Every structure is written in C-alpha cells, then in structure tokens.
Amino acid sequence: MDVRNRRRLRTSLALATLTALAGPPLAVSAAPAVAAASAQCPWMDPTLSPDQRASQLVAAMTLDQKDSMLHSAESVMGYYGTAGHIAAIPSLCVPDLLLNDAGAGLGDGQKNVTAFPDGTAQAASWDTTMQQAMGAGLGWEAWHKGINVMLAPAINIARTPLNGRNFEYAGEDPFLAGATGTAVIKGIQSQNVIATLKHYAVNNQETDRMTSSSNLDERTLREIYLAGFETAVKDGKPGSVMCSYNKVNSVYACEHPGLLTDILKTEWGFDGFVMSDWFATHSTARAANAGLDMEMAPLFNGWNFGNALKTAVANGTVPVSRLNDMVTRIVRPMFSVGLFDNPVPSEPTGSDTAVNTPAEATLARRVAEEGTVLLKNTDNVLPLVGKGKKIALIGHAAGTAGAEQAAGGGGSSHVPSVGTHPVVSPQQGITQRGVADSDTVVYSNGIIRSEAVAAARNADVAIVYASDVNAEGTDRTSLSLSNGQDQLISAVAAANPNTVVVLNTGGPVLMPWLHQVKAVVEAWYPGQEGGNAAASVLFGDVNPSGKLPETFPASQSDLPTQTAAQYPGVNGQVMYSEGLLVGYRWYDAKNIAPLFPFGYGLSYTTFGYSRLSVAKTASGANVTFTVTNTGTRAGAEVAQVYVAAPAVSGEPPKQLKGFQKVTLDPGKSTTVTVALDKRAFSRWDTATNAWVKDAGTYQVLVGASSRDIRAQGSTKQR
Ligand code: BGC
C-alpha cells in the first residue's frame, strides 16, 4: 500500500473514532499513466486553482472531446458493474469517471463491499460527526474500487411515509436532512471522490415518478423541499447534483431553468455539474440551456445529448459558451475534489479489489447502533441483564435469509451481498452475545405460529422481529406490517409478558399491538452488521441514542396527504396543498397525537435540561442550556432546538433549527450552545421573492423531541 492509501485509511478511521484497525492493508495498483504531470497537460499542475486548471483544460478540448464528457460511454453496468461511465481522454490526462450508487454502500455490480445502514438509519443517529465518518468510509471503498463519483447522498423529504424510497432519505425535516447530507458529502469528498446530491427536486413518491408533476407554491418549495438541498450545496459543496425524474409545476426537473440555473447555480452559487437521473432527460437544447450539464442515459452515443447536442451546438440552439460551461462544471470539481491528483486505481484492478475490511464493518456496525431508536421500554425490560436467561427469538427477519433481505431496501441503492459480505443475522448476533451471559437462544421463524408461541412461553424474554420490504419504483400501499406479523406479535405477547419487538422497517409502521408489548426498538434497514448492532443495544453494551427523523402516525388516516389529489395525485398532477404542513408541522398544527413524534427516542438513562438562555446576536440568537445525565448509565442525548415564529409569519407551530448530540457519564452535565442564524428566523416571502425576517418575538423551545419540550425561552428579532 502506498503512502496515499495509508493516509486514506487513517483519515477514514480517525473520523470514525474507531479504536481497532483490523485487517491487512489493501493492495492497489499504481496510479494510471494519465495522472502523471505532463508537458502536454499543463493543467496537471496542482499549484494552479481548480478554476484555472479547468479553463486551461476546456480550452484544449475538441468538440468531440467535450461531447464525450457529457454522456455515458456504455450502457448501465457495462463498465465494470458501474451505473455510468464517462470515458477517459488519455491525451489530455483526463481520467475515467466511474459513477456508482449509492448512500448505503457500493451497489450496482460491485462485489466485496460493505453494506451500511440505509439513509433513514443514518439520519436517525443525528450524529453528523459519525455521518461524515460513514461518508468517508463510503468514499474510501469507492476510491479503492476505482469509482470516483458516488451517486449519494439522497435527501428528499419524506412527505408521506407511503413513499417507497424514503428509506434512502434523511427523514421529514429539511434542517435535519440538510445537516445529514452535508456531513455525508464532506465525508465522501474527503476521499477524492465526488459526491452527488440527489434527487433535485420535489421527488417525493415513486408512483408515476417519471411523469408526475409535483405542484406546489414557491414558499413551500423553498422552505420545505429545497431548504435541505440549499444547506447541503452551500455547506457540503458536492461536485454534482442529480436532477430528478418528476416535473415540478409542470416542467421536468432536468430541464427546469428556475431550479437548475436560477436557484441552484446562480442563487446558491453551485459551481459543479448537474447530472440527470438515469434516462430522466426529455430534450436536448431545452435541457442544456436550462442548466443540465451531464446526461445519464447510459447508451453508447448519448440519448438527448451526444450527437443531438453536437448538432444543437453546430446550429446555434445551444451556445458554445454554454457547452464550455457544461464541461467546465464537470472538470472543475474533478480538480477540486482531487480526481486528477489522486486518481483511483484503474480497472480492472479496482473492480477486483475487496474493500469490505473489518474496519469498514466496524463502522457499519457503529452507524447501525447509533441509528437504532428505542421507542418503548416498560419496566426496564431492556437492557437484557442477568445470567442464564432463556431467550425466544422469533421472526423471519431474525434468521439468515430474512436478515439478508432486511439489511437494506431495494432498487439502485441496494448493496449486493450474496457471497460478497456476510450479513450478521440477529440470530447470530444475539446468540453470540448471549454466550457471555450463559444465555440460551431458541429461534423460531414464526411461520408455524404455535411453535413461536411455545418458544415464547418457555422463555424469560421473547424478542420478535418484524420487517417490511421497501424498494425504489413502488410505493407502499399501507402502513401496516404484512404477512400476519401483527398477529404473530400479539400471539407472542400473549404468551410472554416480557415481549420485545424489533422492527426492521424503512419507515413508520402502525403498531396495533403496542400496548401488549413491553419494548419496541426501531432498527430500520441496518446493513450487514444489523445482528451485532441489535445485540449491543438489546444487551445494553450500547445505550440507544437514535431519535426518529420521521413522525410515526397513529393511523393512516392522520397523514398530511388527506386526498388523492395530494397523494398519489390525479392524472399525474400531485397537489402539495398541505403546503408547509409536512411531518410534525402537520401533526402540531392539527393537534393530532402521533404514535411517536419526530425527534423521539428513549435511552437506558435519563437526561435533564436546565439553565436555558437565549442571547441575541448580530444575525440571530445563541441558545445556551445545560444537559445533565440524571440516570445511572453513560449515554448520549440529542438536544433539539425548535423555533416558533410569531403568528404574523404564518409559519407552522414550531420548526427544528438546531440540534446537538452530547455524550455524558452518569451525573455529568455539559453546556450546549446552538447558534441560530438569520435563516432560523426567516420565511420565504413570495411578494418580494426573498427570505424575510418578520419583526417580533420568537419562542425558542429546547427538548428531547418535538413533543417533549423541556425548556422555553424567547428572543425579539427585527
Ligand atoms: C435512481 C438514482 C440512481 C440511478 C443510477 C435511478 O433509477 O433514481 O437514484 O442513482 O438510477 O442507478
């Protein structure tokens, strides 16, 4: 392993604050010849700025060379299992661009990679340091596989829990989604791999996803659906943004001048490239002039780009200046993120390299542990303590085949696992952990109900796993668990008073059995280390600290999307008429009690909040308070700061504007300061087309969830 690779490994580990480095260093072939500084490639001089290097390179390119940068050279997975490939231009020292999915690990046709927990689990950790470390882990694996553009992170708002793709996303709140996306982007790009923020924009359902129009007002667009992207673009600085399949107010996202050029590039200052989702283009000149820079319709000669774009440039419908801008926007982040200076191993070497190291598995496990949310824990049934316990472990998802399926959602983000990395099943993880306590674990997959019930009856504690299957391309039809799992849980709970339910679901599910069981743990789609992570949490080796990034409704009829016009739309028109009232904003405004609110999650210890002060600053306010671990175990708390705007603003009752995760030993306190900037007190004003701060008194609410406010202050802003 050369020095550069050692450095990468160290960076990834340091960020992860991992303590153990196991496994041999990876052998990686020498950098390809195209990377060498060369007299014919003066832009290889790293002392020049990315802008200078990009403009020199573009000036040296022929029309055909420019064109080749703007579309894929092969069909999907046609180049070493990648989702897309832009061919290298060796004479100009331009490396291949290898584009690959996605946010929970290297998907598509990759092998010997690590399956991390899905996006919602990552978001549920509310730990941006760890999310960044995970991003670095993704980038590290990508780089060593020869992949230099990751098609992640995805941060579309969970507008309805019925969206089949929410598991890939970071929940229902734009502040949380923006913070999560920023962290992951920074992590990926720290490894000389470009991150792609997606799917821009207002792509919130899979039903009719290629054709439907998301129809919404400008204020809702800005405050709910774009705000997370704005943060992630400005703070994370991704090299690439992927435009989505759907239309926004009747214009396809990938040819939407307002979204691509006016807002993203001009207003937010995005200087990277806009890449289309796969086959999401519908035009040539219209798309190029609207701001699309790269078409991903992986076909040999482009689809709407390629020859058609060359013709459009020749006849002047796409100005040459725009063509040059498109190419500049692609090569600039290639310089700034380090694709020229730290080139990936060339293929097939990268493709053959196994990157599923023990260190990466440890990182995946840590993300799974931190994302796990403890929803209920009556009589402290958890953690499981004592020696010689009899444990009944029940449910398909707890066994080998079920765990394999429940490790991740389906579609392009799916990380292939069979034969490439071991998925640790709950049966394995819990049985192995139980050895230390001389416990006996009896497993029943639950298919024969009487067998499961008998196992539960003969045990001290019954752990029932329930799961769902979510995948890109299809929405959920119901929030209920399927295949009789509700009935199985009820039957087990009737047989054993100490019943614990563990959920491997992509998002909220209904829990008709909630009153019958003692504990509920939401473990999401936990990746390959799910079984170990669950064991750590159930036995108390890890104190749960995840918080819900999505509201869990009590009933499907409570959802913000009340009519078919709102969801799934009528004749392809999806009316976002609930406006700003998405997620907890809706439940708060309508006084609907959720099953579990946004931001909620228990711990094996307790936390107190005190000494809140809100001090005005030049741009907003500093919110300072003390968090104390008032229990008997070390643990971590996610302290959340919500702002309630004055009535004149017409904003939802309260909105998340800051948070901090703190780890505390029992009895210890820490002072937290959350800085609220001007935006925390602003709303989008449609009359002036700008963010405005209304003068007035803003309530500042600090607490352990959106419905567990522990301290309240206020600040006068003007
Ligand atoms: C998905 C994208 C993905 C792309 C490439 C599309 O179907 O919407 O998220 O990155 O495929 O696999």
Side-chain angles (χ1 to χ4, degrees), residues 191-210:
Q191 302 299 305
N192 306 126
V193 171
I194 288 177
T196 307
L197 182 66
K198 69 188 189 182
H199 309 86
Y200 185 76
V202 210
N203 176 203
N204 311 101
Q205 64 185 59
E206 292 299 285
T207 306
D208 301 330
R209 69 169 174 164
M210 308 255 183

Side-chain angles (χ1 to χ4, degrees), residues 159-162 172 476 478-480 507-512 514 548 550-560 562 583-584 586-587 592-598:
R159 174 182 179 239
T160 166
L162 294 169
E172 70 190 22
R476 304 167 66 182
S478 160
L479 295 182
S480 296
V509 288
L510 302 178
M511 304 182 199
L514 184 60
L548 293 180
E550 262 183 274
T551 305
F552 275 45
S555 148
Q556 196 158 326
S557 60
D558 289 344
L559 299 183
Q562 293 272 302
Y584 63 92
W586 162 263
Y587 294 87
I592 301 170
L595 190 63
F596 296 108
F598 175 82

Side-chain angles (χ1 to χ4, degrees), residues 83 101 108 151 165 198-199 209 242 245 277-278 412 472:
D101 292 289
D108 308 327
L151 304 172
R165 227 179 157 178
K198 69 188 189 182
H199 309 86
R209 69 169 174 164
M242 185 190 293
Y245 286 123
D277 201 340
W278 269 233
S412 59
E472 177 182 345

